Each structure stands twice: as C-alpha cells, then as structure tokens.
Amino acid sequence: MSKNGFISSIRRLVSPEEPLCPFDQLRQQMNDVLGDGGILKEVVQSGEGPPVPENASVLIHYSGFLEYSDRPFETTTHFKYPQMMKLGRDVTLAGLELGLLTMRKGEFSRFLFQPQYAYGDMGCPPLIPAAAVILYEIQILDFLDSGQVDDFIEEQNDAPLSTLLEVVGTLRSFGNRFFNQSRYDNAKDRYKQASKLLVNRETPSDAETERIKTALLPLYLNLSFTELRLDRPHKALKYGNKALEMDSANTKALFRCGQAYLELRDYESAQSCLITAQAKKPFDSDINNLLRKVATCYKNSLDKEKELYSKMFSNLRAK
C-alpha cells in the first residue's frame, strides 16, 4: 500500500479550474457510513467474506494523513509484519473502530473522519491540529473473531462439532501466522487455546472422538516446534510425546522428540526416536541430517567422558 497513494489519486482528479480542496474532491466519491457525514468511505479494493465483527482482533496496515500532506503522520506500512489490534482495546479512534467494522478480509479502503470521530476539537498537538479532518488508508489482511472464541469457551459443549473445528482452525491459522513472524509466545498462546478447546470437549461418540484427535495432533506438533524455538526442550518433549500417544508412528512427532532429546543431551533417546523415524522415511534429509548430528554429539560426549575418566585415573596413579 503506497504511503501517498491517496495524494496522487486526488491530484489526478483535480484540474486547474476546479477550486475544491483535496478532501472535498475525495468526498465526491465516498459513501456516508453513518448517515451524519462524520465517516466517509471509499473502497479501493474489495474484500471477501463477512465484515469484521465486534471484539475481533484484526491484522492491518494503516496510514493516517492530514489534508495537503504527502506524508502520513502515522503509518504501519514500514513494519515487516502487519499490526494486530484488538477492537475495543487497541483502537482508540472512534472513527477508526467504526470504519473497521464495515470492512472485510483483504479489503483496502480510505476513510475521512470528521473531528468528532477522530481527535476532536482539541486535536493532538503537535501532530494533529485542532478540529482536524483526518484521512486513513486501511488494509485488512485477516481477523480473528475473538468474541466467537470467548462465547464458544463458555458454551463449547452445546455447540456443534463443526463450529468447534472452525474456531480451532482459525486459532491455529493465527498461531501459524505468529510463528512465521517469529512471535513464538503469541503462537504458543493460540495453539494452547485451540488445544484446550479440543481437550475439554465432551465427546459422546467414537466418531467425534476421532475427529477431535485428528485436530489435536497437528496442534501438539505445532506446540512442540514452538517450544523448541523458545528454547524449552522439556516442554517440546512433553508435546511431542502427547502427539506420539495419539500416533506412535508419526515421523514429525518422532523428529520433534529427537530434537528435544538432543537439546537435553539425552543422545541415546534422541537416536532411538530418529532411527524409528528414519525407518518410516529413509530418504528424509531432515531426519538423516539430525541423526548424523546426534551421532557426532554422542561420540564427542563419550570422548569427553573417557578423557575425564582417564585424567581421574592418572591423578590416582600419581598419588
């Protein structure tokens, strides 16, 4: 999203004989969101799916502009990863929150906020002058319906299994997004929340139990990997073993346990897990490489142990 995209857009519309100011030009192509003229909206790129619900957590890029300014007074477009904001908590401008509730996943829109929906008659010196009209460019990349999750936690056993799996899938996808951004604590929290929903579910039939297990397995694998990235091999091993309890032949679970045992310097256990995994996938480069690393570490450990004992016995003989 261009930081000064709206400026160039306005300049294309304005001709020398038209005396209208830039924001007046924009108003001509915008829709009145509330009917009072306080929030005007132009959809630049349409989104898909339902609009953002109340209490959602949204992943967004945004930029705020004053009239006649080519540079934003605030922007997130220079961040490597989009910002996550919780409606009702992190969004402080009334207009911005109301505007977000009209948007859909993937949408890019512009909003004009009158002072009563922005910084008020006082403004916010020195950046925002008194009674300023503000333009925001907003792009929504994704959102998590936090309210749906909260409601579901309260009444999870009354909800259909399909709804549970939908909520769990959303939490896991957000966990994956956080993981890919190296925000491992945030990822862990999402994975744990999803796994607790599944574990606490009362399952009246064997078929439903199997579906719960199928959804739990990748979460335990995700948690194991995340704990490894957080340098917590004991916890990584715990979740790896939980995955193996559900599927003793799962090569990913065996691999994660092998990684955890290596970090814990339990080379025999690491070797055992990896040899079992190698038997399932003999040509897997990750398994084979880690197995070689474990063998090297194990040999070095034994050599150091022998050297230590040799020095001890040498000292005893010297006495």
Side-chain angles (χ1 to χ4, degrees):
M1 180 172 59
S2 170
K3 294 180 184 177
N4 59 356
F6 88 98
I7 293 292
S8 58
S9 175
I10 294 172
R11 285 173 177 164
R12 286 195 298 270
L13 291 171
V14 177
S15 59
E17 57 272 8
E18 289 180 319
L20 294 178
C21 65
F23 280 5
D24 282 341
Q25 283 290 320
L26 269 180
R27 287 186 180 93
Q28 294 183 356
Q29 61 197 48
M30 300 179 104
N31 296 316
D32 191 340
V33 172
L34 300 177
D36 63 356
I39 301 176
L40 302 181
K41 177 182 179 181
E42 176 194 11
V43 177
V44 180
Q45 177 182 309
S46 297
E48 58 183 11
V52 174
E54 293 183 6
N55 301 317
S57 296
V58 294
L59 282 172
I60 63 174
H61 277 309
Y62 64 87
S63 298
F65 298 88
L66 296 171
E67 195 165 20
Y68 299 107
S69 175
D70 280 326
R71 294 189 177 185
F73 59 83
E74 70 167 342
T75 184
T76 64
T77 57
H78 59 282
F79 294 160
K80 184 177 180 181
Y81 299 113
Q83 188 167 9
M84 173 167 273
M85 303 180 74
K86 179 82 164 65
L87 299 187
R89 184 186 68 193
D90 302 324
V91 182
T92 55
L93 288 188
L96 186 55
E97 176 148 349
L98 291 169
L100 286 168
L101 292 172
T102 71
M103 299 184 70
R104 302 171 190 274
K105 180 179 176 180
E107 181 179 327
F108 172 33
S109 290
R110 296 188 181 111
F111 294 89
L112 273 180
F113 300 133
Q114 291 298 310
Q116 67 268 31
Y117 292 102
Y119 293 93
D121 293 335
M122 299 294 292
C124 187
L127 288 177
I128 312 297
V133 178
I134 302 297
L135 177 87
Y136 266 86
E137 289 187 329
I138 306 171
Q139 182 180 21
I140 290 193
L141 293 102
D142 205 350
F143 64 83
L144 172 65
D145 188 346
S146 308
Q148 182 190 26
V149 174
D150 295 340
D151 292 342
F152 193 84
I153 290 173
E154 293 179 6
E155 303 177 2
Q156 56 184 312
N157 288 316
D158 296 328
L161 178 60
S162 58
T163 305
L164 166 65
L165 296 178
E166 180 184 345
V167 170
V168 166
T170 302
L171 286 168
R172 187 183 174 212
S173 69
F174 266 75
N176 292 343
R177 189 186 293 272
F178 284 133
F179 186 93
N180 292 332
Q181 295 173 0
S182 300
R183 297 162 66 180
Y184 301 121
D185 278 313
N186 295 124
K188 180 199 68 177
D189 290 342
R190 296 301 183 193
Y191 295 145
K192 285 187 72 173
Q193 190 176 18
S195 64
K196 284 181 180 179
L197 287 176
L198 292 168
V199 169
N200 293 335
R201 173 78 174 193
E202 294 178 4
T203 52
S205 67
D206 292 340
E208 187 166 307
T209 299
E210 286 305 311
R211 292 181 69 185
I212 294 291
K213 286 182 178 180
T214 300
L216 260 176
L217 181 60
L219 286 168
Y220 286 149
L221 293 172
N222 290 150
L223 279 164
S224 182
F225 197 12
T226 304
E227 295 291 5
L228 283 168
R229 290 295 176 88
L230 288 167
D231 296 322
R232 298 169 183 164
H234 283 99
K235 290 189 176 182
L237 185 60
K238 180 185 77 171
Y239 289 115
N241 282 327
K242 281 179 177 288
L244 287 175
E245 288 173 10
M246 303 175 69
D247 181 3
S248 60
N250 188 282
T251 53
K252 281 189 177 181
L254 289 164
F255 184 75
R256 297 288 175 245
C257 287
Q259 288 178 297
Y261 279 126
L262 174 60
E263 295 298 319
L264 294 168
R265 299 182 182 180
D266 185 346
Y267 303 120
E268 288 189 45
S269 297
Q271 204 168 48
S272 176
C273 288
L274 293 169
I275 288 173
T276 304
Q278 187 186 52
K280 301 288 181 182
K281 291 186 176 181
F283 304 109
D284 188 292
S285 60
D286 290 334
I287 294 172
N288 291 331
N289 289 337
L290 189 61
L291 195 51
R292 281 192 287 270
K293 183 178 180 180
V294 169
T296 300
C297 291
Y298 195 13
K299 180 179 180 302
N300 291 339
S301 174
L302 291 175
D303 289 344
K304 288 180 181 178
E305 195 173 301
K306 287 178 182 177
E307 184 181 351
L308 177 63
Y309 283 126
S310 177
K311 288 181 178 178
M312 288 174 60
F313 286 122
S314 295
N315 291 334
L316 287 172
R317 284 195 294 269
K319 292 179 180 180

